[in-house]
Amino acid sequence: MDVRLIPPTFSRPPAQYEQIYFNDLVRSLISLLTYIQAPGEGRQTTIVLTNLASNDSGLEPGTIFQVNGALRVSVLYSPYVAGLSASASVGSVTVTIL
């Protein structure tokens, strides 16, 4: 959450129902949700990440996951697929020792 944003304020409700108050309340709640969901800067002294995914399958770009203790960030152009491995062979070799 960006510390430069100013969250909306909520006034006390009137004694009687007033449509204007209800409309203002809904507008303030929408502003609050926008404020909470807005990406922004973060600065922490410590952070604990638990239950991290071990690959980026199904993660949105920018999500942190871990592979063998190393943190990685999911990106669209460089997937880290679960169980990714490769092997190759070219022909055969015969070794003769004289």
Side-chain angles (χ1 to χ4, degrees), residues 10-96:
F10 296 94
S11 61
R12 290 192 161 290
Q16 299 278 331
Y17 170 81
E18 293 179 12
Q19 185 174 1
I20 293 172
Y21 170 78
F22 186 76
N23 290 338
D24 288 342
L25 179 63
V26 170
R27 194 174 309 109
S28 293
L29 288 172
I30 291 170
S31 295
L32 179 62
L33 287 175
T34 303
Y35 173 74
I36 290 171
Q37 295 173 342
E41 296 177 4
R43 187 175 304 212
Q44 290 78 30
T45 304
T46 59
I47 186 170
V48 176
L49 304 172
T50 59
N51 200 25
L52 291 174
S54 58
N55 60 64
D56 65 350
S57 177
L59 300 179
E60 65 180 285
T63 303
I64 296 174
F65 63 101
Q66 67 88 25
V67 177
N68 298 327
L71 292 179
R72 298 181 181 265
V73 178
S74 177
V75 291
L76 288 176
Y77 58 84
S78 180
Y80 193 91
V81 183
L84 180 65
S85 65
S87 62
S89 62
V90 178
S92 61
V93 175
T94 303
V95 177
T96 304

